[in-house]
Amino acid sequence: MSEETERTYGAEFFRSWLETAGAAVDREADRLTELDSAIGDADHGANLKRGFAAVTADLEKETPATPGAVLVAAGKQLISTVGGASGPLYGTLLRRTGKALGEAEQVSRAALAEALGAGVAAVAQLGGAQVGDKTMLDALVPAAEALGTSFAAAREAAEAGALATVPLRARKGRASYLGERSVGHQDPGATSSALLIAALAEVAG
Ligand code: ADP
Ligand code: MG
């Protein structure tokens, strides 16, 4: 058994993940907004920046005791502070992943992979989208699956999934209004999802 397989992750790890994700969103906000200006309404960077600032401030006040509670609290912040479609979708992702982790104080990578799978399924249900529709799911679905192998595999799968949205025609969300004109642009939500998964891999080291 490798070291990574045996390792478990507590509330502090999850707080670090969300803070690192928030820093990445801050750093890449202009790029996310640029991508959203091509096939959306140019607010994705600002939306996530606002949401993750609220998540970070909330977790600084008091970090919940379990991984599940950290993710549920962060999901609630995203739902209440992000105006765009991505707020309820990312909020649902974190809340449902957190709920699937239950009350455990420490979770394994395998348990997180399974919980993230449940979170991703909830996003698909809420938004009615599936892989190939040019949404965040194009990064999240392969990432959750690859997390069963390793954190690094999840990061690579998310990045590949985000890149693979370029030639797709959007079938959900604002970009779908553009029809064929959405082809040739990378989906902003798939790009931010890849950032979140990269932050997870970074914190896992
Ligand atoms: P809005 O589209 O309301 O301006 P954002 O710009 O914050 O919201 O987020 C846009 C991103 O949300 C898209 O790039 C896409 O990845 C994701 N998205 C939009 N609709 C859906 C959906 N129905 N299912 C999954 N993801 C979606
Ligand atoms: Mg937008």
Side-chain angles (χ1 to χ4, degrees):
M1 219 188 234
S2 76
E3 218 170 277
E4 193 194 80
T5 318
E6 288 165 6
R7 208 177 135 188
T8 58
Y9 305 88
E12 188 53 34
F13 171 85
F14 284 84
R15 190 180 64 83
S16 298
W17 170 25
L18 295 169
E19 283 185 4
T20 303
V25 161
D26 253 16
R27 206 169 51 234
E28 300 288 328
D30 288 351
R31 180 163 166 257
L32 294 174
T33 286
E34 230 169 80
L35 293 173
D36 197 35
S37 74
I39 58 169
D41 57 352
D43 64 354
H44 191 56
N47 282 344
L48 289 192
K49 224 171 136 164
R50 184 170 60 249
F52 275 90
V55 167
T56 303
D58 185 55
L59 291 176
E60 265 167 17
K61 267 192 284 168
E62 195 191 334
T63 305
T66 64
V70 169
L71 294 183
V72 169
K76 282 186 185 157
Q77 288 296 325
L78 290 181
I79 290 169
S80 63
T81 57
V82 178
S86 61
L89 293 164
Y90 274 132
T92 295
L93 176 73
L94 296 184
R95 273 178 50 138
R96 292 295 282 271
T97 301
K99 284 195 174 168
L101 289 175
E103 310 274 294
E105 289 197 0
Q106 293 281 324
V107 302
S108 66
R109 177 176 48 73
L112 177 58
E114 202 180 315
L116 188 63
V120 171
V123 172
Q125 195 181 20
L126 176 65
Q130 54 186 10
V131 169
D133 286 346
K134 197 179 182 103
T135 71
M136 58 175 69
L137 288 170
D138 288 313
L140 291 174
V141 168
E145 205 177 298
L147 187 58
T149 303
S150 69
F151 285 103
R155 176 180 54 210
E156 281 160 29
E159 277 162 10
L163 279 175
T165 63
V166 173
L168 296 176
R169 175 186 173 147
R171 281 195 286 256
K172 291 286 168 190
R174 237 175 244 285
S176 67
Y177 309 155
L178 292 177
E180 277 302 317
R181 281 182 292 136
S182 66
V183 171
H185 302 278
Q186 188 166 318
D187 180 62
T191 308
S192 58
S193 286
L195 288 179
L196 302 195
I197 302 295
L200 178 64
E202 186 186 328
V203 172

